[in-house]
Amino acid sequence: MTINVGGTYFLGTGSICRIAVAAVVLCAPLLAGGCETSSNNSAPTALTEGPKDTGSYPNLNIPPQVAAKQLSKEETAAKLGELKADEQAQLAKGGGVKPTANPAALNTLARTHGDDTLKQIEGKCDPALDPNCN
């Protein structure tokens, strides 16, 4: 086994020239296609134009304008009072937290719920479980 065998294929002047010519022939259409100009400029103008000199420095001592008027303490208390009243109204209607069910019933439901659902999905539904079963 010799090392010099590969050297004649990769270091020869003729092979380097053939590679260069092949690269120019294959890449010339790609390079020419990149020179086309298009009227559709999709880049934002801030990125293409760059920074602008306004002739003055920004004054960081001026507080920025707020987006909305801030609520006073009285307005905050009034809004919280409205929310509490709405909460009490919902609780009076029975919309509150329901007490937890029997744990044994929940365990039984957990064991059978998957099988019952698969039967309904597969079309083998039980009219006792699903009144809409055909």
Side-chain angles (χ1 to χ4, degrees), residues 31-41:
L31 295 174
C35 295
E36 295 178 11
T37 59
S38 65
S39 61
N40 183 10
N41 187 3

Side-chain angles (χ1 to χ4, degrees), residues 1-132:
M1 188 155 63
T2 61
I3 299 175
N4 294 335
V5 173
T8 58
Y9 292 110
F10 295 110
L11 297 178
T13 317
S15 63
I16 292 176
C17 290
R18 283 190 293 269
I19 292 172
V21 169
V24 168
V25 169
L26 292 175
C27 295
L30 296 175
L31 295 174
C35 295
E36 295 178 11
T37 59
S38 65
S39 61
N40 183 10
N41 187 3
S42 61
T45 56
L47 294 178
T48 57
E49 294 177 6
K52 294 195 189 275
D53 185 10
T54 61
S56 65
Y57 292 103
N59 187 352
L60 301 178
N61 295 322
I62 299 172
Q65 295 178 353
V66 295
K69 183 184 78 135
Q70 301 296 311
L71 294 176
S72 66
K73 290 185 180 183
E74 295 81 22
E75 290 172 328
T76 304
K79 294 285 183 186
L80 283 175
E82 289 176 22
L83 287 175
K84 293 284 184 187
D86 290 342
E87 179 184 22
Q88 293 301 324
Q90 286 287 34
L91 289 174
K93 289 181 185 177
V97 178
K98 305 227 186 267
T100 58
N102 183 8
L106 290 176
N107 289 334
T108 304
L109 177 65
R111 281 193 304 270
T112 61
H113 179 69
D115 296 331
D116 295 342
T117 305
L118 282 176
K119 286 179 186 175
Q120 290 176 2
I121 291 171
E122 292 172 352
K124 303 172 195 167
C125 56
D126 185 9
L129 295 175
D130 187 11
N132 298 326

